[in-house]
Amino acid sequence: MSELTRFGVSLEEDLLQAFDKLCERRRCPSRSEALRDMIRKELGQEALETGNVNAAGVLTLVYDHHVPDLSHKLTERQHDAHDCIIATMHVHLDHHNCLEMLVLRGPSHTLRELADQLRAIRGVKQGSFSLTPLDLDY
Ligand code: NI
């Protein structure tokens, strides 16, 4: 981590008040810490949007395992992508529904494509996906 640099920021009063309320809700130790987190988050988002970066992802799927062939299709696709899937967890939610959580690591474009393919399989009811860029050293 490099040295800290101070700089002045001019904000409208109401924007500053909203920022301070957000900091309070999120229990940020200081405005500086909150601003650093926001800048890192934006830079990370931009890296994910503009390039194929090394990333970690979490994909959560909810599906009815009674749908014919669905469990088999999901398993087949996951085995094809075994190099990107570092952990999975399967929960039997109720008589019909399963929740599967996959922890992924690899090139962001590959992870996004895998998530899209798994979510698109007929019978998958819900699919949420989040990506976090790795290797950003600031
Ligand atoms: Ni199940």
Side-chain angles (χ1 to χ4, degrees), residues 90-92 98:
H90 185 106
V91 178
H92 309 303
C98 302

Short mmCIF file of all heavy atoms in Angstrom, two decimals, residues 90-92 98, ligand 1:
data_model
loop_
_atom_site.label_atom_id
_atom_site.label_comp_id
_atom_site.label_asym_id
_atom_site.label_seq_id
_atom_site.Cartn_x
_atom_site.Cartn_y
_atom_site.Cartn_z
N HIS A 90 -24.91 -27.50 -1.50
CA HIS A 90 -26.28 -27.83 -1.92
C HIS A 90 -27.16 -27.91 -0.68
O HIS A 90 -26.82 -28.60 0.28
CB HIS A 90 -26.27 -29.17 -2.66
CG HIS A 90 -27.60 -29.54 -3.23
ND1 HIS A 90 -27.87 -29.47 -4.58
CD2 HIS A 90 -28.74 -29.94 -2.63
CE1 HIS A 90 -29.12 -29.83 -4.79
NE2 HIS A 90 -29.68 -30.12 -3.62
N VAL A 91 -28.27 -27.19 -0.71
CA VAL A 91 -29.22 -27.21 0.42
C VAL A 91 -30.58 -27.65 -0.12
O VAL A 91 -31.07 -27.08 -1.10
CB VAL A 91 -29.34 -25.80 1.07
CG1 VAL A 91 -30.34 -25.82 2.21
CG2 VAL A 91 -27.99 -25.31 1.55
N HIS A 92 -31.20 -28.64 0.50
CA HIS A 92 -32.56 -29.06 0.13
C HIS A 92 -33.51 -28.13 0.88
O HIS A 92 -33.75 -28.31 2.08
CB HIS A 92 -32.79 -30.51 0.52
CG HIS A 92 -31.72 -31.44 0.04
ND1 HIS A 92 -31.38 -31.56 -1.30
CD2 HIS A 92 -30.90 -32.28 0.70
CE1 HIS A 92 -30.42 -32.44 -1.42
NE2 HIS A 92 -30.10 -32.89 -0.22
N CYS A 98 -34.28 -26.86 -4.39
CA CYS A 98 -32.89 -26.95 -3.97
C CYS A 98 -32.24 -25.58 -4.13
O CYS A 98 -32.58 -24.83 -5.05
CB CYS A 98 -32.10 -27.91 -4.86
SG CYS A 98 -32.77 -29.56 -4.92
NI NI B 1 -31.71 -30.70 -3.12
#
